[in-house]
Every structure is written in structure tokens, then in C-alpha cells.
Amino acid sequence: MKLPDHFRKRVGMTTIGVTLCAIAVGFFKCSSFGVDPFQSFAQGVWGRFFESFASYGVYYMVLSGLMLALDLLIARSYMGIATLVNMFLTGYIVDFSVWAIHSLFPAPGLLARIVFLAVGVLVMCFASSLYMTSNLGVSVYDAIPIVIAEKRRWPFRFVRIGCDLVCVAIGALSGLLPGVGTLITALFMGPLIEVFNHSFSLPFLYGKGNVHKLDKGSASKGNGTQGK
């Protein structure tokens, strides 16, 4: 049985990417500057409509399951190992990260919180670039802007900003006002993912000499993961 091209690199990028993304969420939470856009949507809707009926853990699992069902209809090719790891292991890694950061910095000041936010944003974007480029599956939320960019042939960075802002708006309308970190992530995550795609992830996976060809091919196909 022949393995996919660059399979070992892809597995490594997926594993490291998903792990780093969860660690980044831990830094995000410890910064106390707001949650990321998808969590703004998820936590806002839970607090407004479901908090009295179910715990957040149960609600989040159901929400992820519903989004997975939708993704299987419209984005089946983007579902894979990383999708399952994201769904079932991310929460545990986030909890461990928060515990470890609080153990090292039990009472962080404003400067430390700003550093946590900067680290969280940069690591999350780098990690997302790694596991998106590895093409072994993406999270149930990440698949949506990728598919929209691909189908409509729109630049991924703008589609991602639009999806993130919609999540922030729904969260705000549900009563969860966005923090500085939420807005920063919503506005800059798409462009930063593309920067990391071109500066590291694509050259690492395919080699520097092939990146230009991939960019031209992705532009003609409208592939959001390749960062048109």
C-alpha cells in the first residue's frame, strides 16, 4: 500500500500543529484579553441559550458533532486525522497548558498578559498553517472558510476574516462582548496564516523551489489552504 506523498512530514506537521494550536489557546486564556472568534460564538450561544440545560463540555461536543456532519456534506475532503485529534484531544491539552502557565506565572501583570496574547496569536496562526498545509484534515470550523474560498475563488485571508467577524458578531449579540484578543485574532489570523504558509509550511513540505508552482496552481483552482 503506497502512502501519500510526503506522508511522514504531513503526519509530523499535523501532530505538531494541533498540539501547538491547543497550547496557543492556553496562552490566549491566560492573557484574559478575550477568547478566539469561534470560542466567542460557541461560548456566547451557550451562555445565552443552553447554559441552564447542559454543561459547556456537553454542549461543545454536540456543536462539534453538528459542524462535523455539515463538513462531511460540504467539505469531506478536508476531514481527516487532524479533525479527530482536534475534537477529542484539544480540550485536554488546553487544560494542561493553562495549568502549566498558571503554575509558572500565578499572578501575571499587564505586561505578562500582553506577552501571553502575542504568543497565543502567533503560535495559533503558525500551528494552523502547519496542520492546514499538511492536508490531513482541519478542525470543523477551519474547514468552512477554506471551502468558501475554494468554491468562490476568493482570497482565503479575506474569507477567514469574514467568518471570524461573523462569529464575533454572533457572540456579541448573544451577550459575550469581544475582548482585544478576540478582535486581533479575527482581523489578523487569516493574513498571518498565509504569511506562515509562504514563509515556512509550504517550503518545508514541498521544497522552496516548488512553492511558486504551487501558488500558481492554487490560484487557478481557488485552493484556500495554499494561500492564493
Side-chain angles (χ1 to χ4, degrees):
M1 179 177 178
K2 184 180 178 181
L3 295 175
D5 293 340
H6 312 289
F7 184 71
R8 290 184 179 178
K9 280 188 177 181
R10 291 178 188 273
V11 171
M13 290 170 70
T14 295
T15 304
I16 294 172
V18 172
T19 302
L20 286 179
C21 197
I23 292 172
V25 174
F27 275 98
F28 227 89
K29 294 181 70 173
C30 291
S31 75
S32 300
F33 280 120
V35 295
D36 64 87
F38 179 68
Q39 286 297 324
S40 179
F41 155 72
Q43 293 183 25
V45 172
W46 172 72
R48 182 67 176 268
F49 299 105
F50 301 105
E51 186 174 7
S52 60
F53 301 105
S55 68
Y56 184 72
V58 172
Y59 157 81
Y60 192 78
M61 185 171 58
V62 173
L63 176 63
S64 296
L66 291 174
M67 293 188 68
L68 176 61
L70 174 64
D71 288 339
L72 289 175
L73 292 175
I74 68 172
R76 184 179 302 231
S77 62
Y78 292 106
M79 300 295 99
I81 297 171
T83 309
L84 297 176
V85 174
N86 259 300
M87 287 182 65
F88 297 110
L89 294 183
T90 295
Y92 296 105
I93 300 174
V94 170
D95 286 344
F96 176 79
S97 300
V98 171
W99 170 83
I101 295 169
H102 279 160
S103 296
L104 293 172
F105 305 95
L110 178 61
L111 179 59
R113 290 171 52 212
I114 293 173
V115 172
F116 291 166
L117 175 61
V119 170
V121 171
L122 290 174
V123 172
M124 182 179 289
C125 293
F126 176 69
S128 297
S129 173
L130 281 179
Y131 79 75
M132 286 181 182
T133 303
S134 71
N135 200 27
L136 290 179
V138 298
S139 73
V140 291
Y141 172 65
D142 287 334
I144 294 173
I146 292 174
V147 169
I148 293 174
E150 182 181 75
K151 297 297 184 183
R152 303 300 300 179
R153 298 190 177 184
W154 292 338
F156 170 74
R157 58 187 176 276
F158 297 129
V159 176
R160 178 67 189 231
I161 290 173
C163 289
D164 285 347
L165 289 176
V166 168
C167 285
V168 172
I170 294 174
L173 290 172
S174 299
L176 184 62
L177 296 179
V180 174
T182 307
L183 296 176
I184 289 175
T185 310
L187 293 173
F188 294 104
M189 189 164 181
L192 281 173
I193 288 173
E194 284 202 334
V195 169
F196 285 122
N197 283 347
H198 290 286
S199 64
F200 181 82
S201 299
L202 287 169
F204 176 76
L205 182 59
Y206 297 109
K208 292 183 179 179
N210 295 319
V211 172
H212 181 64
K213 296 179 182 178
L214 287 167
D215 286 341
K216 291 176 64 177
S218 67
S220 64
K221 294 178 182 179
N223 188 335
T225 59
Q226 301 300 323
K228 301 188 296 299

